[in-house]
Amino acid sequence: MKEKPEIAILRWEEGQVPMGLLQLESLPGNSTNPASYPFDVRMIHVEGACVETVITHPSEKLLEDMIAISKKLVEEEGIEAITTSCGFNAIFQKALSQALPVPVFTSALLQIPFIENLIGGKTIGVLTANGGSLTKEHFAACGIREDAALYVMGLENAQEWGKIFTHPDEAFDVEAVRQEILSVVKKGREDCPDMGAILLECTDLPPFGRDIQAATGLPVFDFNSMMGIMAAALGEIRLY
């Protein structure tokens, strides 16, 4: 393992994370669980980053702050790549990557063009924390074609998961959340029979990735598959 972290994760402001998501942070595979990685990462709480400023009403002020924080990390700590703890930061991908001298990967959505080439024109199922908030601007910022074959599956109407937005101070029943996730992807698989792969937008969903793969029989891509690519590129992990 290298002596210092090379990848920094910009995460939500401490105290602004919904209770349910705090529970999910304890699961292996979650983006903000240090145990998810076989190498050190630098985690930074970004003041003002929360559901409101990232998901429901993306904030230009937050973007400016993220750029400033990232530049400082690169210049003072030698960080070699920047990522974020919420896939909805995709909206900031183009601006962040253009402003910084190191690679930036804000969202698992960045893998969509790669997946398209793997599955030969089949549809990619995109499982997201909030389908209503995932817009064409998020996809465009990640270089995704407007006519890409995507089938978006949102979790916002799932009763337990929806507490993120309706009752953020209430705890989850994690097993109920698991079953809601599987119900949504199974229905999506039925409604979209030409689905060839699933992409998990939300960085809290990777802990359920194996269950999703087993339930659908499809390859599942997520924050961790993206992190693995970047970690390999920087020499943080090796396959041989």
Side-chain angles (χ1 to χ4, degrees):
M1 184 178 294
K2 297 185 178 180
E3 293 183 0
K4 62 179 181 61
E6 297 199 357
I7 300 174
I9 301 176
L10 306 183
R11 57 183 300 181
W12 286 359
E13 180 179 351
E14 198 164 13
Q16 295 297 315
V17 183
M19 179 62 70
L21 297 190
L22 287 175
Q23 290 174 266
L24 297 184
E25 283 187 9
S26 68
L27 301 179
N30 189 286
S31 68
T32 51
N33 184 339
S36 298
Y37 313 108
F39 49 85
D40 289 333
V41 296
R42 178 78 160 93
M43 295 208 188
I44 304 293
H45 290 276
V46 179
E47 185 177 353
C50 61
V51 170
E52 173 71 16
T53 58
V54 176
I55 298 180
T56 55
H57 296 95
S59 165
E60 286 298 317
K61 172 63 166 60
L62 177 62
L63 171 59
E64 293 172 5
D65 291 345
M66 291 169 70
I67 290 173
I69 290 168
S70 298
K71 285 182 175 178
K72 188 173 182 180
L73 288 167
V74 172
E75 294 166 1
E76 298 184 2
E77 300 186 27
I79 290 295
E80 295 190 13
I82 301 289
T83 187
T84 75
S85 70
C86 177
F88 276 88
N89 282 300
I91 198 76
F92 303 134
Q93 172 64 37
K94 188 172 182 180
L96 274 170
S97 63
Q98 289 178 343
L100 300 176
V102 298
V104 175
F105 53 115
T106 58
S107 176
L109 296 174
L110 287 162
Q111 296 169 99
I112 286 177
F114 169 65
I115 300 168
E116 282 186 298
N117 284 288
L118 301 182
I119 61 175
K122 297 183 181 69
T123 298
I124 300 170
V126 178
L127 183 64
T128 177
N130 190 326
S133 295
L134 188 59
T135 69
K136 63 181 181 181
E137 285 77 21
H138 291 89
F139 293 117
C142 291
I144 299 163
R145 301 187 338 271
E146 194 167 343
D147 63 346
L150 306 176
Y151 185 86
V152 175
M153 300 172 285
L155 291 168
E156 66 275 11
N157 293 322
Q159 183 175 350
E160 198 67 18
W161 178 270
K163 287 180 180 178
I164 297 171
F165 309 103
T166 61
H167 298 84
D169 296 327
E170 290 188 16
F172 273 164
D173 177 334
V174 175
E175 183 55 33
V177 167
R178 183 191 307 274
Q179 294 307 317
E180 287 177 343
I181 290 169
L182 294 178
S183 177
V184 169
V185 295
K186 286 177 183 177
K187 186 176 188 308
R189 185 80 165 97
E190 293 173 0
D191 292 345
C192 183
D194 76 330
M195 192 179 294
I198 293 176
L199 183 283
L200 310 182
E201 167 275 319
C202 179
T203 60
D204 295 297
L205 293 176
F208 307 103
R210 291 178 183 174
D211 293 333
I212 293 169
Q213 197 282 324
T216 63
L218 295 176
V220 176
F221 298 82
D222 58 18
F223 177 84
N224 290 328
S225 57
M226 182 178 63
M227 175 67 94
I229 291 171
M230 200 65 243
L234 294 175
E236 291 276 20
I237 57 174
R238 296 188 64 171
L239 299 180
Y240 57 88

